[in-house]
Amino acid sequence: MADMKLAAVAEAFLRLRNANPNPTTELEYASPYQLLVAVVLSAQATDKGVNLATRKLFAVAPTPEAMVDLGEAGIVEHIKTIGLFRNKAKNTLALSHQLLERHGGEVPNDRDALEALPGVGRKTANVVLNTIFGEPTMAVDTHIFRLANRTGLAPGKDVLEVEKRLLRRIPKEYLRDAHHWLILHGRYVCVARKPHCGKCIIRDLCLSRDKTD
């Protein structure tokens, strides 16, 4: 797959910004801790499904202390509608313990510290660093991986390659919000099976040979 020209990349993000100047995650949260838990729960689950579960979970366990008090069985009871809920309950409890023991109950602004938490990988750390701390990170999920390859924004063979290429190719002025724009575009416009090319604001810049009407 050919690379989209850098001038076209800049134009694409200018249009995405104009259409949505203040993008954010669709996960619901009221604190850095709640966002961290929500992102951990969102693996192989929809944001909508996670929000339905966390509204009830965070009502009774909004903090690491309260989550530890709730216990694994209590967490399971609130998130059992989400895929992989048993493992996610274990990780949620363990990361809550670790935040209390190592970080004073606060979510650390540090990649290594975040990735040391149970259930937290590079993608989750990137979401937290970007959304909470404003760092120009790129959390490459299935939507962004597909979109980057399909459009020519930053083709790559795996998520890490795509992440690094996006960070190099996107103009700095757009990096703070680029992750959210791409996820939303992949979720609602550049969808997997039949992309909605007719309503795509970057259609003329896209290098895909399989555009739909």
Side-chain angles (χ1 to χ4, degrees):
M1 179 70 181
D3 286 352
M4 186 185 292
K5 294 186 184 308
L6 292 179
V9 174
E11 174 64 22
F13 281 96
L14 174 63
R15 295 180 192 179
L16 291 168
R17 183 177 68 183
N18 288 342
N20 185 6
N22 299 295
T24 189
T25 178
E26 293 186 316
L27 291 170
E28 297 172 2
Y29 66 98
S31 68
Y33 169 72
Q34 290 182 17
L35 177 67
L36 174 62
V37 171
V39 179
V40 168
L41 296 180
S42 72
Q44 299 182 45
T46 65
D47 286 3
K48 182 178 180 180
V50 171
N51 289 338
L52 288 172
T54 56
R55 284 171 200 160
K56 297 176 181 178
L57 176 64
F58 294 154
V60 297
T63 64
E65 295 90 344
M67 197 70 74
V68 169
D69 288 343
L70 182 60
E72 186 176 328
I75 298 171
V76 164
E77 194 59 31
H78 286 88
I79 69 168
K80 60 186 178 183
T81 54
I82 302 175
L84 308 174
F85 66 91
R86 294 192 185 282
N87 194 50
K88 290 177 180 179
K90 289 180 182 179
N91 285 333
T92 299
L93 181 62
L95 74 82
S96 300
H97 272 294
Q98 197 159 309
L99 287 175
L100 292 169
E101 293 167 359
R102 301 184 185 178
H103 306 289
E106 299 296 321
V107 175
N109 182 8
D110 178 82
R111 175 183 297 283
D112 290 340
L114 284 167
E115 291 189 27
L117 295 169
V120 177
R122 185 178 182 86
K123 185 178 75 172
T124 296
N126 278 337
V127 173
V128 172
L129 290 169
N130 177 263
T131 305
I132 298 299
F133 300 110
E135 295 194 16
T137 59
M138 183 64 60
V140 178
D141 66 352
T142 55
H143 296 299
I144 293 182
F145 183 76
R146 176 180 67 251
L147 193 155
N149 277 284
R150 178 185 276 165
T151 63
L153 271 174
K157 64 182 182 297
D158 56 44
V159 293
L160 185 58
E161 182 180 0
V162 167
E163 175 188 330
K164 290 180 176 179
R165 298 204 70 223
L166 283 169
L167 291 174
R168 288 199 304 268
R169 291 173 55 76
I170 297 171
K172 288 184 179 180
E173 65 187 290
Y174 302 118
L175 277 177
R176 170 67 176 81
D177 294 316
H179 155 250
H180 295 302
W181 284 319
L182 293 180
I183 282 182
L184 293 171
H185 196 69
R187 184 174 290 164
Y188 296 112
V189 181
C190 196
V191 297
R193 293 188 178 178
K194 191 177 181 183
H196 307 302
C197 299
K199 64 177 184 180
C200 177
I201 61 175
I202 62 171
R203 174 177 177 150
D204 58 311
L205 306 172
C206 173
L207 300 182
S208 173
R209 297 176 181 175
D210 300 313
K211 294 187 180 77
T212 62
D213 293 331

